[in-house]
Amino acid sequence: MPTRILPAGADPDAVRSLTTLLSQLPDAEPQPPAGDSTQLVDTLARLASESVDELPEVVVVHERIGPVPALELIREVALRFPAVGVILVTTDAGPGLFSAAMDSGARGLVALPLSYEELASRVQAVAQWSTGVRRHLGHGSDVFGGVGGTVVTVSGAKGGVGATLAAIQLALAAQASGRPTALLDLDLQTGDVASYLDIQFRRSVVDLAAITDISPRVLADAVFRHDTGLALLLAPGEGERGEEVTDRVARQIVSALRSRYEVVVVDCGAQLSGAGAAVVEMADTALLVTTPDVIAVRAAKRTVRMWDRLQIRKAEETTVVVNRHTRSTEIQPALVQRITGTALARTAIPANFKELQAVVDAGRVHELDNRSSVKQALWGLAGELGLVRAAEGAAAHRGSGRGPGGFRRRKE
């Protein structure tokens, strides 16, 4: 049986050389190369959605890959696709990097310049390991999402439409149902998650900007653990420092969170930054919150078109959530969907600010009453998106009164 090998690297010449050498290996079947980390993960996810058996046995990652650094990429692949063996190709084959690569989940390391014998030996060993893992796991159509397989971004069509409140309640719903959840405030200049949850913090997302390999310990130092159990990674208190969080940094941070939490909710705000664009692009679900008025719906349409022009996300891959909905308004959710050309969340959030005013003013939106129609709708939206464990969440609610009644079961 041929060994399927997927090479990945940003340097076309290096990848071409690698692919040529791989094609000379016995029983090797090189796949079309991935040009960056996003393409590699997307390719593996697409293949895994069909069947684990469709995944390549071996992935060969060249050290020159981006935007996610090679070691962080290897960690994500190892966690999300544990039946795939990863080999790192690098000019530095010293014991330090070897140890770091193994800690990240690599199954082997090959030094540059490439040697046919070394590459053949390493590929064969990793392919045998991969085959053994699949035999142990059993055949079938199981998709391995790994820890933290779900990233949801929440963006506002314009300021003031309720994106931050929605992001917080979605994260709270996921956490209350028993899924370890992280909430990332990527509204870098005007982020208000900390204000909504009445917390004082020292560290923020900016503290991770200069770190090339975010270890679990480094991440834990930057995360604020809220009383609800949520892991919070907050926007900087000094908005001008938000410029330090580039698209590369944002990808690395989200990958680190994704590998350690089952659910990652990202508040992207209403202003498009390079960091926000990168995260919207890599998200499993991208929500765009709007209100049912002409100005906000026009802004939603403008945002969707901009995302499409910049090749961040297609309209049909974006889900619009209508906030402050009333039956009497002229603009109903179905009309918003037709105008924007997006998917539409079945759950609309009702307009009832009186329910929210006391907890918003106190900065304690996590204490919103379970009888609140707004909370029930937002937690229902979390169920619609598959962010909660339906059975466990409902049981937890009945036992502790922590959440509104019942979660919808995720469609399979």
Side-chain angles (χ1 to χ4, degrees):
M1 180 178 177
T3 299
R4 293 162 298 181
I5 309 169
L6 176 56
D11 186 332
D13 293 334
V15 172
R16 190 179 305 112
S17 174
L18 175 60
T19 303
T20 300
L21 197 56
L22 289 172
S23 65
Q24 298 173 11
L25 302 181
D27 297 323
E29 187 179 297
Q31 308 294 298
D36 58 36
S37 57
T38 302
Q39 185 181 358
L40 173 61
V41 173
D42 287 349
T43 299
L44 293 175
R46 175 177 54 79
L47 294 171
S49 67
E50 299 173 9
S51 168
V52 173
D53 292 333
E54 296 299 317
L55 288 167
E57 286 77 18
V58 181
V59 169
V60 182
V61 175
H62 194 279
E63 63 180 356
R64 295 182 192 172
I65 194 165
V68 176
L71 292 181
E72 189 62 40
L73 174 62
I74 290 171
R75 181 179 292 113
E76 180 173 1
V77 171
L79 284 166
R80 296 186 65 190
F81 313 101
V84 175
V86 185
I87 297 173
L88 174 63
V89 176
T90 176
T91 53
D92 176 14
L97 181 60
F98 181 85
S99 177
M102 296 304 106
D103 288 344
S104 296
R107 301 302 308 177
L109 187 147
V110 176
L112 290 169
L114 292 172
S115 159
Y116 175 88
E117 289 77 13
E118 184 183 10
L119 184 62
S121 173
R122 186 53 51 202
V123 167
Q124 181 181 17
V126 173
Q128 290 175 349
W129 172 87
S130 176
T131 302
V133 169
R134 296 178 195 210
R135 188 181 300 115
H136 175 72
L137 293 173
H139 298 286
S141 58
D142 296 335
V143 177
F144 298 100
V147 178
T150 302
V151 173
V152 176
T153 57
V154 184
S155 305
K158 57 183 287 295
V161 296
T164 297
L165 179 67
I168 292 172
Q169 291 297 332
L170 290 175
L172 288 171
Q175 180 70 34
S177 76
R179 303 188 72 182
T181 302
L183 174 59
L184 169 61
D185 191 348
L186 213 59
D187 187 357
L188 296 169
Q189 293 185 336
T190 58
D192 278 324
V193 167
S195 298
Y196 273 105
L197 296 174
D198 190 28
I199 57 177
Q200 302 294 322
F201 63 98
R202 292 184 301 107
R203 298 189 181 278
S204 72
V205 65
V206 171
D207 293 296
L208 300 176
I211 299 174
T212 56
D213 184 20
I214 303 176
S215 67
R217 183 171 182 177
V218 169
L219 184 64
D221 287 341
V223 164
F224 182 95
R225 184 66 62 176
H226 192 258
D227 293 341
T228 58
L230 275 182
L232 304 176
L233 190 51
L234 300 164
E238 305 82 17
E240 66 274 13
R241 296 198 64 195
E243 295 181 357
E244 299 175 34
V245 183
T246 63
D247 56 344
R248 181 196 63 79
V249 170
R251 288 181 185 275
Q252 184 180 4
I253 290 171
V254 172
S255 294
L257 289 170
R258 180 183 229 162
S259 68
R260 295 166 181 86
Y261 297 92
E262 289 190 29
V263 176
V264 179
V265 179
V266 186
D267 178 8
C268 292
Q271 298 297 321
L272 184 66
S273 63
V279 176
V280 169
E281 181 183 8
M282 69 188 296
D284 298 290
T285 302
L287 301 181
L288 182 62
V289 180
T290 186
T291 48
D293 58 83
V294 172
I295 303 301
V297 173
R298 283 179 177 171
K301 183 177 181 179
R302 186 167 61 243
T303 298
V304 169
R305 287 182 171 180
M306 178 171 60
W307 286 0
D308 187 56
R309 286 195 307 272
L310 297 176
Q311 298 182 342
I312 296 170
R313 202 158 190 107
K314 296 179 180 178
E316 59 270 21
E317 296 173 349
T318 302
T319 301
V320 162
V321 177
V322 177
N323 189 24
R324 300 173 196 154
H325 170 258
T326 63
R327 293 183 179 180
S328 60
T329 185
E330 273 190 48
I331 300 178
Q332 291 295 312
L335 178 58
V336 176
Q337 182 182 26
R338 287 201 298 273
I339 292 172
T340 59
T342 61
L344 177 70
R346 296 192 304 272
T347 305
I349 316 305
N352 200 337
F353 186 71
K354 287 183 179 180
E355 296 178 352
L356 302 174
Q357 187 164 8
V359 293
V360 169
D361 289 346
R364 301 186 67 81
V365 297
H366 53 290
E367 295 180 353
L368 182 61
D369 194 290
N370 294 333
R371 294 170 295 181
S372 161
S373 61
V374 175
K375 182 173 182 176
Q376 289 179 4
L378 284 167
W379 285 41
L381 175 62
E384 178 184 333
L385 298 173
L387 301 184
V388 300
R389 291 177 180 156
E392 292 88 339
H397 165 58
R398 289 192 296 270
S400 66
R402 289 171 60 189
F407 297 118
R408 299 184 204 177
R409 188 176 298 276
R410 184 178 184 179
K411 287 189 174 182
E412 301 295 339

